[in-house]
Amino acid sequence: MTRPLDHLLVTGGAGFIGSAFIRAVFRRLGFAGRVVNLDKLTYAGNPANLIGHVPDDGRYTFVHGDIGDQALVERLLAEHDIQCVVHFAAESHVDRSIYGPKEFLQTNVMGTFSLLEACRARHAAGKPIHLHHVSTDEVFGSLGDDGFFDEETRYDPRSPYSASKAASDHLVRAYAHTYHLSTTLSNCSNNYGPYHFPEKLIPLMILNCLDGKPLPVYGDGQNIRDWLYVDDHAEAIWLILNKAASDTSWNVGGRNEWKNLDLLHKLIEVVAVEAGRDVRELRKLITFVKDRPGHDRRYAIDASRIERELGWRARHDFGSGIVETVRWYLQNPRWVQDMKSGAYKSWLDTNYAAR
Ligand code: NAD
Ligand code: TDX
């Protein structure tokens, strides 16, 4: 598979996973090309996630904008001679989708549609263009006590978030089938690691432990998630871009299932050691709260196809990954403060006021 990958458009590259991908390609994956990062900078995006991690020789460009702005995307594809779009941009938090689904439809469905239309125009003009769509295992619904999601699992999304991601997955496949647009797709399990916005389970629990705040466990705490270190996800996407045929889908996961309550106990132990806190005092913060409406019981990915066919392996074991993550939050109080207060918006105002 030889796909031109010298000029990338990354969408949502100021978010948690998109920024990990950009840091990875420049720092570890030997990428010598150029990246344009298109991000709307919603509450979840922070361009500071990339400061010091991207080259300052013109190979990295940040563009503040919306994937739904098709004219902007078409201009970026042409101006930067983009060969490949790596599409992370999304509204990503299930709870927010339950209380306000509209933005999810707007960005995840209509935004992906606009991006596909811009790629279709470029493809129709005879220019090489590939789109990789980053999706989630949540499109497959909820598992019982056993079994795994594989690439053949029937779609059964059950939250507004997962329904919007499922719709976008279907659109991507439809464009590959109908217009012969070159596409690939990945469905990944729960990611964790540095720069994770503190509304999601792991960073929220770490920061609440440090602040002595309640640790809110939804329902009975027995729901299961399959956790993968974010850098392993970034590497899986890079492998797919380099090796996978068009119109293929890949499941990515950590073979690392945890019940939420067990995970919380593990986190408490790590925070107690790393931050010098009393483990019994931290345990007292555990608070059972009303369950998430429609809360999916169990997710678990069968990643054997990407392991077998593309040679991918998760390199981080959970024990060391979670220690690294806790240490990162302890070492980056400024980032935490900025994310909590939205202060990075003023960084944006100062740096991008002219745009
Ligand atoms: P995130 O919420 O941390 O980041 C999303 C980024 O997209 C932000 O920088 C935000 O500013 C940007 N964005 C949002 N709307 C935009 C728009 N209309 N135009 C341009 N930019 C926009 O999300 P994340 O956790 O990094 O997830 C990235 C992708 O991976 C998403 O598509 C998500 O569905 C998928 N995914 C996430 C996980 C996970 O565990 N976090 C697991 C599997 C798949
Ligand atoms: O305060 C909490 N208490 C709690 O018990 C929070 C925020 C979550 N939970 C539970 C709900 C889930 O069972 O923890 C589990 C993980 O919750 P989230 O971190 O919100 O992740 P999840 O809903 O599983 O979705 C995540 O993984 C798949 C990402 O947010 C999605 O973008 C990704 O597609």
Side-chain angles (χ1 to χ4, degrees):
M1 168 63 48
T2 46
R3 173 174 293 137
L5 293 173
D6 296 323
H7 304 163
L8 306 181
L9 175 68
V10 175
T11 71
F16 168 48
I17 308 175
S19 69
F21 176 79
I22 295 176
R23 291 191 300 274
V25 293
F26 281 125
R27 293 176 75 191
R28 293 196 312 280
L29 299 171
F31 179 68
R34 287 188 264 147
V35 168
V36 177
N37 175 8
L38 171 63
D39 198 297
K40 186 178 167 183
L41 298 180
T42 66
Y43 75 95
N46 185 351
N49 292 355
L50 291 157
I51 289 176
H53 301 291
V54 286
D56 55 8
D57 57 2
R59 290 194 297 133
Y60 172 75
T61 307
F62 177 74
V63 177
H64 183 205
D66 193 320
I67 55 165
D69 182 346
Q70 193 181 323
L72 169 66
V73 175
E74 284 184 11
R75 180 166 65 74
L76 293 176
L77 295 183
E79 267 179 21
H80 296 273
D81 196 19
I82 298 295
Q83 301 151 331
C84 176
V85 178
V86 193
H87 178 31
F88 294 91
E91 289 294 334
S92 69
H93 190 39
V94 174
D95 292 329
R96 285 180 191 255
S97 84
I98 293 168
Y99 300 106
K102 194 169 178 184
E103 281 294 310
F104 288 72
L105 275 288
Q106 199 58 45
T107 285
N108 300 0
V109 184
M110 293 309 290
T112 302
F113 165 68
S114 290
L115 211 52
L116 283 163
E117 280 290 274
C119 290
R120 178 162 83 93
R122 193 136 176 93
H123 175 61
K127 304 286 184 188
I129 188 79
H130 177 80
L131 180 135
H132 179 77
H133 179 56
V134 180
S135 191
T136 170
D137 59 358
E138 300 197 14
V139 299
F140 299 123
S142 185
L143 290 163
D145 290 342
D146 44 34
F148 297 90
F149 300 133
D150 65 25
E151 285 81 358
E152 309 308 321
T153 303
R154 192 174 70 88
Y155 272 42
D156 183 22
R158 293 146 48 100
S159 72
Y161 164 71
S162 54
S164 70
K165 292 297 289 186
S168 61
D169 290 12
H170 290 318
L171 278 172
V172 170
R173 292 201 180 94
Y175 272 61
H177 184 75
T178 310
Y179 305 114
H180 305 293
L181 185 69
S182 178
T183 65
T184 41
L185 202 152
S186 49
N187 296 94
C188 189
S189 63
N190 287 58
N191 286 211
Y192 73 98
Y195 302 94
H196 203 180
F197 191 79
E199 64 188 351
K200 310 281 169 59
L201 180 72
I202 289 183
L204 176 89
M205 293 300 183
I206 294 172
L207 296 184
N208 282 12
C209 279
L210 297 176
D211 293 343
K213 288 187 180 162
L215 306 173
V217 176
Y218 297 167
D220 61 4
Q222 300 303 302
N223 301 64
I224 294 174
R225 297 292 182 265
D226 171 5
W227 293 94
L228 180 71
Y229 195 74
V230 64
D231 289 356
D232 286 324
H233 185 189
E235 287 175 20
I237 292 169
W238 186 240
L239 261 185
I240 293 168
L241 291 175
N242 279 281
K243 289 189 167 181
S246 176
D247 200 10
T248 53
S249 294
W250 303 87
N251 279 9
V252 184
R255 297 184 193 283
N256 179 40
E257 292 181 51
W258 286 81
K259 289 182 177 151
N260 290 338
L261 192 56
D262 294 343
L263 172 60
L264 181 53
H265 279 287
K266 167 84 182 163
L267 258 181
I268 284 174
E269 281 166 24
V270 174
V271 172
V273 171
E274 296 298 324
R277 302 293 169 94
D278 184 329
V279 81
R280 283 158 308 196
E281 291 302 315
L282 292 180
R283 282 191 198 123
K284 284 185 200 158
L285 298 173
I286 295 176
T287 309
F288 288 90
V289 299
K290 197 163 164 286
D291 207 356
R292 170 186 282 174
H295 196 175
D296 286 340
R297 196 65 173 169
R298 174 171 169 258
Y299 303 144
I301 281 274
D302 174 0
S304 52
R305 181 163 168 232
I306 190 167
E307 291 169 343
R308 195 177 57 244
E309 295 184 23
L310 303 187
W312 176 80
R313 289 282 176 286
R315 290 190 301 106
H316 292 79
D317 72 86
F318 193 63
S320 56
I322 209 70
V323 170
E324 262 182 59
T325 304
V326 169
R327 284 186 186 158
W328 187 88
Y329 282 91
L330 284 170
Q331 288 160 4
N332 289 277
R334 176 76 195 277
W335 182 93
V336 169
Q337 205 42 49
D338 283 358
M339 283 312 245
K340 279 182 179 169
S341 67
Y344 64 92
K345 297 277 186 228
S346 58
W347 183 91
L348 171 74
D349 294 342
T350 318
N351 287 276
Y352 291 97
R355 281 170 186 259

